[in-house]
Amino acid sequence: MYEWIQEHNKVLSVLISFGTLLIWLVYAQLLYSSYRRQVRPRIVINRGKHRDLNALCIISNMSAESVFVEHILARLETSEGTVLEDVTELEQEYEQGDEEKDQRDSPTASLRDSTRQGPLNSGDFLHIGSFQEVIRRTLRNQRLERGDDEEPVRLKSLTIQVVAIYGSDDKPIGVERRFLIEHGEDGHRLVPATWDSRRMAGRRDRRRLRNMMEMLRREQLAGDQ
């Protein structure tokens, strides 16, 4: 055995060196994969409390660091076509005395009551109201509401899209999840089309995000004029 090892020591040395290199490559790959999981942003969009349109739309930050939520968009597919609505800002109905209450409250508290734009810490979540409220707001602002004597618009699906900034990355990240709206005798059911939220990180997705932001900006400018 010893003589065989001496005769083939060069071959064995090459094999040992190759095996050591392979082990280090696997180890480096595991370290790199673990690092990417830590620095990779992860935002989850889900429903809560109910399974119908009364379910809350919950946005959770499962990233290792905080994210800054810039926009929350609702893409509603109906029998009249697909419409897009920015639902970042909350709609509020003021009652008598609310103005004095806002003045007594801290600026941070009143800001949180009016917008969902801002930092979201790691492990935290926020909700933008129920899916029903998001749909009603979109239909109303897009002039798709129908009167009592008119046939209502048929709903097909609702896609929630989140545009955020993660860490020191200059480019925005996007996350979306599509929910199918099923019609039944007992009302509408909300069914996720995918088991998880989809990251919009590719070039085509980022280009689509920029186009959506530019379209919303032009619509806001046109509305202000």
Side-chain angles (χ1 to χ4, degrees):
M1 183 67 180
Y2 181 73
E3 294 178 356
W4 184 86
I5 294 176
Q6 283 186 329
E7 293 177 0
H8 301 85
N9 61 346
K10 293 184 179 180
V11 177
L12 291 176
S13 298
V14 172
L15 292 177
I16 292 173
S17 299
F18 180 77
T20 303
L21 177 62
L22 183 62
I23 292 174
W24 276 108
L25 288 176
V26 173
Y27 184 66
Q29 180 64 31
L30 292 175
L31 289 178
Y32 179 70
S33 298
S34 177
Y35 171 76
R36 285 199 62 185
R37 284 196 298 268
Q38 291 180 357
V39 301
R40 182 180 181 180
R42 175 153 174 75
I43 301 175
V44 179
I45 303 171
N46 210 340
R47 59 184 181 181
K49 293 185 68 173
H50 301 283
R51 294 294 180 266
D52 55 10
L53 296 184
N54 292 319
L56 294 178
C57 182
I58 300 175
I59 300 171
S60 305
N61 177 25
M62 306 305 296
S63 310
E65 300 181 14
S66 301
V67 297
F68 186 91
V69 178
E70 283 199 339
H71 294 280
I72 302 175
L73 309 175
R75 181 182 295 274
L76 184 62
E77 184 182 358
T78 72
S79 57
E80 299 294 326
T82 302
V83 292
L84 184 68
E85 181 72 17
D86 190 340
V87 294
T88 311
E89 312 300 330
L90 296 183
E91 291 185 326
Q92 294 181 337
E93 295 182 359
Y94 284 93
E95 298 180 357
Q96 186 175 2
D98 285 351
E99 292 81 1
E100 290 78 4
K101 180 178 181 299
D102 287 343
Q103 293 177 359
R104 294 194 303 267
D105 291 339
S106 65
T108 303
S110 59
L111 180 62
R112 290 174 180 172
D113 291 338
S114 61
T115 183
R116 288 297 178 257
Q117 185 184 69
L120 187 62
N121 294 328
S122 174
D124 283 353
F125 70 92
L126 60 86
H127 74 81
I128 59 174
S130 68
F131 286 87
Q132 182 74 270
E133 294 170 348
V134 173
I135 291 173
R136 288 176 178 173
R137 174 178 177 176
T138 304
L139 292 175
R140 181 174 62 255
N141 293 346
Q142 298 294 330
R143 297 180 175 84
L144 291 177
E145 282 189 318
R146 297 291 184 264
D148 296 336
D149 56 343
E150 296 178 305
E151 183 178 356
V153 174
R154 185 174 180 83
L155 307 176
K156 297 181 179 180
S157 69
L158 175 64
T159 302
I160 301 297
Q161 298 173 324
V162 179
V163 182
I165 299 295
Y166 180 70
S168 58
D169 192 357
D170 296 332
K171 298 180 180 179
I173 60 172
V175 180
E176 68 176 10
R177 194 173 188 186
R178 184 168 178 254
F179 296 87
L180 303 177
I181 302 174
E182 297 184 350
H183 302 263
E185 296 180 356
D186 54 347
H188 298 83
R189 290 183 64 243
L190 195 68
V191 181
T194 56
W195 72 274
D196 196 8
S197 305
R198 188 182 75 88
R199 293 180 69 246
M200 305 170 65
R203 289 186 177 181
R204 182 177 300 178
D205 291 327
R206 291 179 184 271
R207 189 183 306 113
R208 187 154 62 96
L209 285 175
R210 288 195 298 267
N211 293 337
M212 285 192 301
M213 296 299 100
E214 180 63 24
M215 182 184 67
L216 289 173
R217 187 185 68 86
R218 290 197 299 266
E219 290 180 354
Q220 292 175 356
L221 291 175
D224 293 339
Q225 294 177 355

